[in-house]
Amino acid sequence: MEEKKLEAKKGLTGFQIKLIAMILMVFDHIHAYLNYNKNIPIQFKWVGRIVAPLFIFMTVEGYYHTRNKKKYMIRLYIAQLIMSIGNNFLDKFFPRPDGVMLISSMFKTLFLIVVYLSIVDFLRDAFKDKNISKVLLGIGFLTIPILLSFVIMINISNLPILFIRIFMLLVPMPLFVEGGIVFIAIGIVLYLFRDNKTKQVISYIIMSIVIMLSSGNFSVQSLLYTNFQWMMIFAAPLMYLYNGEKGRGMKYLFYIFYPAHIYLFHMISYYMLTR
């Protein structure tokens, strides 16, 4: 019995994976916000490619394990709303001379992933009950946000700027969030295969390879210095090492650290560029 307990503790806890992601996120954002002199090595961006997939992975786990999925969804929505307001505030009162704006808000993506996972659950129940009307309703829930995104994108030049800003602030849309449909699809796939770790990781690796192939340019120069999003594949080993345990608490650490360190880097860059 004792040996089984020790075996269950091997690997990485959810807290450890989040901590690794947060450290690598700092490197990524150092390059994003403090590279105005072009002296930050590109490798900082490379390691940053595995950050979003790890947070998506842990959001899927959080959604699965939470006792109150509605509350979890609301918490992410409030987080994205607060960060969006903060981004607009800093862009308005501390604008960088080089025009770089605060557009980061992974909270929007994570919120939409949770929304889509709830739709997946709805569809599962509908198929299980063989309820055609609910199946069609679920398919509508899946497609309407994407179609609405296309409508807004096509007509964006004809819409009032104030309306666009308020709408984008209050209603995250699949085509306008960080990572777009690709990151949302990753979340759905990780959720669908979460009961089989091998299939889950293999499906994620396949998606990473597809992203590389979709770049259309397979030269070493391109894959290492331009189209390097495929490097998200290196998140797979960490996902595989996840032992299913939550680890330490500190539930709100990421909610606070994520916007706080970005705003700190933005203020540093604003001061350096305007002094």
Side-chain angles (χ1 to χ4, degrees):
M1 180 68 69
E2 193 67 29
E3 289 182 1
K4 288 184 178 180
K5 287 183 179 179
L6 290 174
E7 185 178 352
K9 293 181 180 179
K10 289 181 179 179
L12 298 171
T13 65
F15 176 78
Q16 290 169 334
I17 289 177
K18 288 180 182 178
L19 192 59
I20 292 171
M22 286 170 62
I23 293 172
L24 297 180
M25 178 172 62
V26 171
F27 283 95
D28 186 32
H29 289 151
I30 286 175
H31 190 283
Y33 293 96
L34 303 180
N35 195 35
Y36 38 81
N37 289 327
K38 307 300 180 184
N39 58 352
I40 308 294
I42 191 65
Q43 286 77 14
F44 279 43
K45 295 293 290 181
W46 291 355
V47 298
R49 296 314 91 202
I50 77 172
V51 174
L54 288 180
F55 279 120
I56 291 173
F57 176 76
M58 292 314 305
T59 297
V60 169
E61 287 298 310
Y63 172 82
Y64 178 81
H65 289 290
T66 186
R67 296 178 181 177
N68 192 327
K69 290 177 170 50
K70 182 178 179 181
K71 186 176 179 180
Y72 187 55
M73 189 184 304
I74 292 174
R75 185 163 67 242
L76 283 170
Y77 179 81
I78 292 174
Q80 70 83 24
L81 185 62
I82 292 174
M83 189 166 183
S84 295
I85 293 173
N87 288 352
N88 290 332
F89 177 84
L90 286 178
D91 280 336
K92 181 175 181 178
F93 294 101
F94 301 95
R96 283 180 44 153
D98 58 2
V100 174
M101 299 182 68
L102 281 166
I103 58 175
S104 297
S105 186
M106 192 63 188
F107 287 134
K108 288 179 180 290
T109 307
L110 299 181
F111 165 72
L112 279 182
I113 287 173
V114 170
V115 170
Y116 271 87
L117 295 188
S118 66
I119 297 173
V120 168
D121 284 341
F122 180 86
L123 277 170
R124 276 178 171 172
D125 292 339
F127 278 114
K128 184 178 180 180
D129 298 336
K130 297 181 180 180
N131 190 319
I132 302 300
S133 60
K134 283 189 175 181
V135 169
L136 294 176
L137 184 62
I139 293 173
F141 287 151
L142 284 174
T143 56
I144 288 175
I146 298 174
L147 294 175
L148 184 58
S149 295
F150 275 112
V151 171
I152 292 176
M153 186 169 61
I154 294 172
N155 296 283
I156 196 165
S157 60
N158 300 321
L159 297 172
I161 295 178
L162 181 60
F163 169 80
I164 295 173
R165 287 182 176 178
I166 295 176
F167 187 83
M168 295 295 184
L169 181 70
L170 298 177
V171 187
M173 289 282 102
L175 295 184
F176 301 110
V177 298
E178 191 170 341
I181 295 177
V182 173
F183 279 5
I184 295 173
I186 288 174
I188 293 174
V189 169
L190 290 176
Y191 184 61
L192 291 175
F193 292 106
R194 75 163 305 280
D195 290 333
N196 187 314
K197 182 60 68 69
T198 301
K199 289 182 179 179
Q200 185 187 50
V201 172
I202 290 175
S203 63
Y204 172 76
I205 291 173
I206 291 173
M207 295 185 76
S208 301
I209 294 173
V210 169
I211 288 174
M212 181 182 70
L213 296 176
S214 66
S215 69
N217 189 338
F218 309 125
S219 67
V220 174
Q221 183 74 15
S222 173
L223 294 178
L224 292 181
Y225 297 99
T226 308
N227 301 312
F228 47 79
Q229 183 60 44
W230 64 271
M231 291 184 181
M232 58 186 266
I233 195 173
F234 294 111
L238 295 173
M239 294 179 183
Y240 191 78
L241 289 172
Y242 176 57
N243 61 14
E245 295 185 8
K246 180 180 179 181
R248 295 182 60 183
M250 304 178 73
K251 178 170 63 175
Y252 292 101
L253 177 61
F254 171 63
Y255 288 93
I256 297 172
F257 181 82
Y258 174 51
H261 87 283
I262 287 180
Y263 294 162
L264 175 62
F265 289 160
H266 180 85
M267 293 300 294
I268 292 173
S269 64
Y270 170 79
Y271 171 75
M272 296 300 293
L273 290 169
T274 56
R275 65 175 181 176

